[in-house]
Amino acid sequence: MASPRLYSLGRYPAWVMTDRPLRLRFAPSPTGFFHVGGARTALYNWAIAQREGGTFVLRIEDTDEARNQPEWTQGIIDALAWIGISSGDEHFEGPYFQSTYAEAHIAAAERLYEAGVAYYCDLTGDEVQERAKANGKPGYDGYSRDRGLEAGPGRVLRFRVPEGTTIVHDLVRGEVSFDNSNIEDFVLLRGNGSPMFLLANVVDDITMRISHVVRAEEHLPNTPKQQMLWNALGVDPPVWAHVPVLVNEQRKKLSKRRDKVAVEQYRAEGFLADGMVNYLMTLGWAPSGDTEIVPWSRVVADFRLEDVNHSPAFFDLKKLSAFNAEYIRALSLDAFIEACAPFLLAPDVPWNPEHFNPVVFSAMAPLAQTRVTRLDEVVPMVDFLFLVEPPIDEAAFTKTMGGPNARELLSEVIAAYGTAEWEHEALKETLEAIGEGYQLKLGKAQAPIRVAVTGRTVGPPLFESLVLLGRDETLRRLQAALQRAGATPG
Ligand code: GLU
């Protein structure tokens, strides 16, 4: 048998040591789109598993039948694969499905009952509330602790919380102490006999021989209860690490109602997986050195749970976009073109797919690559090349064509571009010279030309765009704009 691997032996105080083989897990509930916070937690686990030669177990906690949907499970698996966590890697194990282990959860509950550390209670939820009100103390008051009830329909099984203090040693939070008198005798089995989340989660972690539980901070309040369950089931608790919550600009916890939290959505908008991964890792942690933009290999080498900050981490969309732009610029041209393909070939592109010309796009690609922060911005940047009649932005048209000499300028440009050398420097110099005649700087002179040809006031460099569009099509659009502006074609 291979010798057990210790996690970062020597770098931690004795209390985080465990001689179990390193087994981490990620245990999402498939109740919605895959949340960026979940992705961050998964990556933290993944980085440790890869560096230390441990195992990353994926366990789908699918016991909430009312809220789980199979497509959410597939969404999680796909999104994890997108950020590099998949069964193709030797450190990956699973997915396991919690719903298939209900018998083991119930058996564990029965063991706790036999051992006297759990007992049945027949109070209804309302009765528990009424008693709490009368007691002036929230929560269940231990009413059935000594009533000796046996299992029966409608009876819940509760854990007998011992007196004293529960100390949770947490790699991120340090030592967190919980007064047991504030912890009610919590439910293990519902009145219909089905296991509660807390129990299922612990039993699965024990069965799967999990050595380290690295998860979101929102689970910290569950941890003393879970630690008691580990002990009651006769197994030393794992090493805990609770990583900070993600907050939005208003410092409110990221929520799927308020904020864009779905990993799938970022992917659909053209965030690159590598940039996303790098950014997610920095939510609560920073690599050593003067840049946060580091490859995954550096993350794996550098990441340490004890360096994770425990204050809330700001999910900064601007910073994520800046990371993404950098990752886009770092792609080779071929890789960039390939990454754009799903966006250019999507069913909802504004142009007729038969008019898409990959050679023209490849020529435009270097200009687009340095200008976009997300890949989906490429489509509106190049659409004028493949649309027969690019829609004109009315406000921009009126503004640029309404200027004092815009129509005259346009007529002159049409005449000059009829014979100019079709090359970007020549086109630029031609326009510059014509603009000078009207005391217009190049930028101002470009505006009506750009709107006429692309329909918009902003876009990729103009003269390169004209070269790609070709003389005939450029002239046709300039003529059309002139007509539209109400002048006689020159
Ligand atoms: N299934 C729980 C969740 O998605 C995770 C529990 C855990 O990591 O222990 O929030």
Side-chain angles (χ1 to χ4, degrees):
M1 207 182 98
S3 61
R5 293 200 180 85
L6 301 189
Y7 176 54
S8 272
L9 188 60
R11 288 208 57 191
Y12 288 101
W15 54 260
V16 303
M17 289 307 173
T18 165
D19 56 5
R20 292 179 202 162
L22 180 72
R23 287 176 64 83
L24 303 127
R25 85 321 189 249
F26 179 57
S29 305
T31 56
F33 286 110
F34 188 43
H35 192 291
V36 285
R40 193 266 318 254
T41 302
L43 287 167
Y44 280 7
N45 279 288
W46 189 236
I48 300 167
Q50 288 204 328
R51 185 186 55 251
E52 302 293 332
T55 302
F56 172 107
V57 173
L58 174 61
R59 181 173 73 232
I60 304 290
E61 302 213 312
D62 57 344
T63 46
D64 183 346
E65 282 171 24
R67 293 170 67 216
N68 294 324
Q69 299 289 337
E71 61 266 32
W72 297 135
T73 298
Q74 195 53 47
I76 292 169
I77 292 172
D78 292 346
L80 283 172
W82 183 63
I83 57 172
I85 304 177
S86 81
S87 55
D89 188 288
E90 54 173 330
H91 300 98
F92 186 95
E93 190 179 302
Y96 298 110
F97 293 88
Q98 186 156 69
S99 58
T100 55
Y101 300 105
E103 266 177 38
H105 307 150
I106 294 168
E110 279 164 2
R111 282 213 318 276
L112 294 172
Y113 171 69
E114 298 298 334
V117 289
Y119 61 89
Y120 283 98
C121 174
D122 57 0
L123 290 187
T124 64
D126 286 346
E127 285 165 339
V128 170
Q129 294 285 332
E130 275 164 34
R131 293 185 60 83
K133 221 159 139 194
N135 296 334
K137 186 170 188 246
Y140 176 72
D141 64 357
Y143 174 70
S144 297
R145 275 191 156 210
D146 304 311
R147 289 173 61 220
L149 294 180
E150 300 204 338
R155 293 185 177 173
V156 301
L157 183 70
R158 287 183 178 272
F159 184 76
R160 192 186 297 275
V161 173
E163 285 181 2
T165 306
T166 300
I167 299 194
V168 169
H169 294 295
D170 188 289
L171 274 181
V172 175
R173 319 265 334 167
E175 200 179 274
V176 194
S177 148
F178 296 84
D179 181 349
N180 291 2
S181 67
N182 294 326
I183 302 175
E184 66 174 19
D185 286 353
F186 53 93
V187 175
L188 301 174
L189 297 179
R190 296 187 187 83
N192 65 7
S194 68
M196 293 287 282
F197 157 74
L198 278 180
L199 174 72
N201 186 267
V202 167
V203 172
D204 287 350
D205 280 345
I206 291 175
T207 313
M208 295 172 190
R209 305 186 319 282
I210 298 305
S211 62
H212 292 67
V213 171
V214 179
R215 62 183 175 186
E217 191 186 327
E218 65 194 18
H219 293 291
L220 187 60
N222 289 330
T223 309
K225 298 179 194 169
Q226 296 195 311
Q227 188 161 292
M228 289 177 208
L229 283 176
W230 279 79
N231 288 326
L233 290 165
V235 189
D236 283 340
V239 174
W240 305 102
H242 288 88
V243 302
V245 288
L246 305 186
V247 294
N248 65 16
E249 204 156 10
Q250 289 77 42
R251 305 283 145 185
K252 293 215 174 85
K253 192 174 161 205
L254 277 200
S255 92
K256 55 181 168 202
R257 273 174 297 104
R258 266 194 309 257
D259 307 294
K260 191 166 78 182
V261 297
V263 173
E264 289 88 340
Q265 195 179 346
Y266 288 96
R267 180 182 185 180
E269 288 174 350
F271 285 83
L272 297 180
D274 289 349
M276 193 78 196
V277 164
N278 188 169
Y279 178 68
L280 288 170
M281 287 303 297
T282 67
L283 294 167
W285 173 79
S288 58
D290 52 11
T291 174
E292 289 189 301
I293 306 244
V294 291
W296 179 248
S297 55
R298 262 286 301 286
V299 167
V300 169
D302 273 17
F303 180 73
R304 295 287 184 283
L305 278 169
E306 83 267 38
D307 297 335
V308 171
N309 198 317
H310 60 72
S311 47
F314 172 31
F315 188 78
D316 184 350
L317 282 170
K318 289 201 195 81
K319 190 168 162 189
L320 170 59
S321 296
F323 267 60
N324 200 52
E326 242 184 273
Y327 272 87
I328 288 178
R329 285 194 288 274
L331 292 175
S332 69
L333 183 59
D334 284 347
F336 174 71
I337 291 171
E338 201 182 312
C340 289
F343 296 85
L344 299 167
L345 304 175
D348 61 346
V349 285
W351 54 79
N352 176 342
E354 283 168 20
H355 297 161
F356 177 71
N357 181 338
V359 178
V360 170
F361 177 72
S362 300
M364 183 55 106
L367 302 173
Q369 186 175 5
T370 53
R371 285 173 174 77
V372 293
T373 55
R374 303 168 11 181
L375 295 175
D376 66 349
E377 291 165 9
V378 168
V379 169
M381 188 169 282
V382 303
D383 60 355
F384 71 95
L385 291 167
F386 312 118
L387 282 164
V388 178
E389 295 293 347
I392 305 268
D393 171 348
E394 284 301 335
F397 189 84
T398 313
K399 191 159 169 247
T400 49
M401 296 298 170
N405 301 310
R407 277 177 283 182
E408 289 79 351
L409 175 109
L410 204 49
S411 302
E412 270 196 57
V413 172
I414 292 169
Y417 278 7
T419 55
E421 192 193 342
W422 208 250
E423 180 276 324
H424 79 266
E425 275 301 325
L427 295 176
K428 179 176 159 210
E429 280 162 21
T430 305
L431 179 63
E432 216 161 14
I434 295 172
E436 265 168 32
Y438 297 96
Q439 271 91 50
L440 289 176
K441 290 231 165 68
L442 183 61
K444 281 263 189 268
Q446 279 192 50
I449 311 299
R450 184 189 291 283
V451 173
V453 170
T454 69
R456 299 193 185 88
T457 49
V458 288
L462 180 63
F463 304 104
E464 282 90 339
S465 300
L466 300 183
V467 170
L468 284 173
L469 195 60
R471 189 195 308 270
D472 292 350
E473 183 58 14
T474 300
L475 290 176
R476 191 188 69 75
R477 291 187 189 183
L478 293 175
Q479 294 278 8
L482 194 54
Q483 243 160 27
R484 192 186 164 109
T488 324

